[in-house]
Amino acid sequence: MSQEKSLLNKLVFSLQCLPGVGRKSAQRMAYHLLDKDREGALRLANDLKSAMDEIGNCERCRDYTEASLCEICRNEKRNEQTLCVVESPADVAAIESTGSYTGKYFVLMGNLSPLDGIGPDEIGLNQLKTLVEQTDCQEIIVATSATVEGEATAHFISTIVQGVKDKQVSVSRLAQGVPIGGELEYLDSSTLALSLANRQSI
Amino acid sequence: MSQEKSLLNKLVFSLQCLPGVGRKSAQRMAYHLLDKDREGALRLANDLKSAMDEIGNCERCRDYTEASLCEICRNEKRNEQTLCVVESPADVAAIESTGSYTGKYFVLMGNLSPLDGIGPDEIGLNQLKTLVEQTDCQEIIVATSATVEGEATAHFISTIVQGVKDKQVSVSRLAQGVPIGGELEYLDSSTLALSLANRQSI
């Protein structure tokens, strides 16, 4: 590539930090922005900078926020007695989008993974324990993924929470079974077996 | 979405100026950058800003460059007698990547499209004519796309170039036919018919 195009080359290289964007897509993005949307690109540059500089983690629930406490933690209308433990801020957004949860959250920012050096401290389990001890928390909903790591993390959290002294906290897990609109024919056999075992009377 | 997440929301919105990126991908990109690559995101912000502010068009060939003349136009080793006319800077990159062209370029930055208000002036045909008149140009290779607009533009360029006084400039078009590795079975019938009509002796 030519030396003179270095600014363009740098931009194409930098765009590849986006997930799912390779050299070819990055080139297409760079040409598109230069050609059709310089204003949008400048706004993006600005928003990227302020987001990266200012967004940190909520002191209480570890979700992303630019304040010291996120809006959900500061909202007094939300039920303090239920705490939903999720893996990532994206999961908070997913549960919020259902509009059917009014409790608070705790974001692990990952899963237990001892081989990768991610232990209870890295996913803030001490902080979670303190939170359970110091607040009026009555129920923990562990909404980690239905993967091996997610299940292991859920089990570990359940042990920790039930070990809190002088307090009876119930721990639950998201229901598993056939998704709405799911056709049995295409469902994996483990999920189907599980939904048979956990059948509900109607 | 919550008010407190406004910086994040703004970032998700701004990321959607990228081609092929919708709300869901933008959200995934924003979380990925916040979580795993803040440094890359800041570099991207910086490169976006300098590229948008500094990259303009080459005075001679209209390709993108941050200088007044692009490197190819300034390179004295490149053959001045051949001029390849392409639609976009991406096409220059594509032809350069073949390593088999040593002439210069002229970038139209679009195709003739009277219905969209894109006439000869918008794609710089006056500038092209002046270039042909004032330089030692002997051959024009019209490398516009093999689409209706591309063909129309090619025809128009050929008329203009052959109308230049006191100069005999040959005009050619990229060869059309079966691509390398192309299986006849899967080739569209128009291309196949064309490659039959233009068969070459071996």
Side-chain angles (χ1 to χ4, degrees):
Chain A
M1 284 250 181
S2 61
Q3 194 59 37
E4 279 315 306
K5 278 194 180 170
S6 57
L7 271 184
L8 184 58
N9 283 347
K10 272 164 84 177
L11 175 59
V12 169
F13 177 77
S14 296
L15 279 166
Q16 293 175 51
C17 73
L18 298 171
V21 175
R23 207 185 62 81
K24 205 79 190 176
S25 321
Q27 204 177 54
R28 194 168 60 98
M29 286 175 169
Y31 284 130
H32 171 89
L33 293 176
L34 280 168
D35 196 22
K36 300 206 175 71
D37 198 5
R38 292 197 180 212
E39 208 177 299
L42 288 173
R43 196 181 55 226
L44 172 58
N46 200 30
D47 288 349
L48 270 172
K49 185 156 169 25
S50 33
M52 297 306 138
D53 286 345
E54 293 171 37
I55 293 181
N57 296 95
C58 170
E59 286 171 6
R60 192 176 179 282
C61 77
R62 304 180 17 128
D63 194 3
Y64 287 134
T65 175
E66 59 253 43
S68 57
L69 282 180
C70 74
E71 202 213 14
I72 295 176
C73 286
R74 277 197 284 150
N75 187 342
E76 289 176 6
K77 287 186 189 151
R78 301 209 50 139
N79 176 9
E80 274 243 327
Q81 303 189 328
T82 323
L83 195 65
C84 181
V85 181
V86 294
E87 286 172 13
S88 72
D91 298 338
V92 173
I95 296 181
E96 281 298 284
S97 75
T98 67
S100 62
Y101 179 70
T102 57
K104 303 214 165 180
Y105 292 93
F106 186 81
V107 185
L108 300 172
M109 292 285 175
N111 264 322
L112 278 181
S113 177
L115 285 181
D116 301 321
I118 301 178
D121 284 353
E122 280 71 26
I123 59 171
L125 293 190
N126 277 337
Q127 196 178 334
L128 175 62
K129 196 176 172 189
T130 316
L131 199 62
V132 173
E133 283 167 352
Q134 293 177 352
T135 61
D136 187 24
C137 177
Q138 305 286 327
E139 184 184 0
I140 302 266
I141 302 171
V142 186
T144 51
S145 303
T147 57
V148 177
E149 293 86 4
E151 294 293 345
T153 309
H155 184 75
F156 199 85
I157 290 173
S158 144
T159 318
I160 285 187
V161 170
Q162 279 160 352
V164 172
K165 278 180 193 165
D166 309 325
K167 202 160 183 183
Q168 201 62 38
V169 179
S170 66
V171 180
S172 59
R173 191 100 175 78
L174 291 186
Q176 290 188 308
V178 185
I180 289 178
E183 296 190 40
L184 294 197
E185 194 182 344
Y186 301 112
L187 209 64
D188 66 297
S189 53
S190 330
T191 305
L192 200 51
L194 198 71
S195 63
L196 261 178
N198 297 339
R199 63 190 178 278
Q200 296 174 302
S201 57
I202 51 172
Chain B
M1 285 249 180
S2 60
Q3 194 57 36
E4 279 314 309
K5 277 192 179 171
S6 56
L7 271 183
L8 184 58
N9 284 347
K10 272 164 85 177
L11 176 58
V12 169
F13 177 77
S14 296
L15 279 166
Q16 293 174 52
C17 74
L18 298 171
V21 175
R23 208 185 62 82
K24 204 77 189 178
S25 321
Q27 204 177 53
R28 194 167 62 96
M29 287 175 168
Y31 283 130
H32 171 90
L33 294 176
L34 280 168
D35 196 22
K36 300 206 174 70
D37 198 5
R38 293 199 180 213
E39 208 176 298
L42 287 173
R43 196 181 54 227
L44 173 58
N46 200 30
D47 289 349
L48 271 172
K49 186 157 168 25
S50 34
M52 297 306 139
D53 286 345
E54 292 171 36
I55 293 180
N57 296 95
C58 169
E59 286 171 8
R60 193 175 178 282
C61 76
R62 302 178 22 126
D63 194 2
Y64 286 135
T65 176
E66 59 253 42
S68 57
L69 281 180
C70 74
E71 202 213 15
I72 295 176
C73 286
R74 277 196 285 149
N75 188 343
E76 289 176 7
K77 286 185 189 152
R78 301 208 53 138
N79 176 8
E80 274 243 328
Q81 303 189 329
T82 323
L83 195 66
C84 181
V85 181
V86 295
E87 286 173 13
S88 71
D91 297 338
V92 173
I95 295 180
E96 282 298 283
S97 76
T98 68
S100 61
Y101 180 70
T102 55
K104 303 215 166 180
Y105 291 93
F106 186 82
V107 184
L108 300 173
M109 290 284 174
N111 263 323
L112 277 183
S113 178
L115 285 181
D116 302 320
I118 302 178
D121 284 352
E122 279 71 26
I123 58 171
L125 294 189
N126 276 337
Q127 196 178 333
L128 175 63
K129 195 176 173 189
T130 315
L131 200 62
V132 173
E133 283 167 353
Q134 293 177 350
T135 62
D136 187 25
C137 177
Q138 303 288 327
E139 183 183 1
I140 301 265
I141 303 172
V142 185
T144 51
S145 303
T147 57
V148 176
E149 292 86 5
E151 294 293 346
T153 309
H155 183 76
F156 198 86
I157 290 173
S158 144
T159 318
I160 284 188
V161 170
Q162 278 159 352
V164 171
K165 278 180 196 164
D166 309 326
K167 202 161 183 182
Q168 201 62 39
V169 179
S170 66
V171 180
S172 59
R173 189 101 176 79
L174 292 185
Q176 291 187 308
V178 185
I180 288 179
E183 296 189 41
L184 294 198
E185 193 181 346
Y186 301 112
L187 209 64
D188 67 296
S189 52
S190 330
T191 305
L192 200 52
L194 198 71
S195 62
L196 261 177
N198 297 340
R199 64 191 178 278
Q200 297 174 300
S201 57
I202 51 173

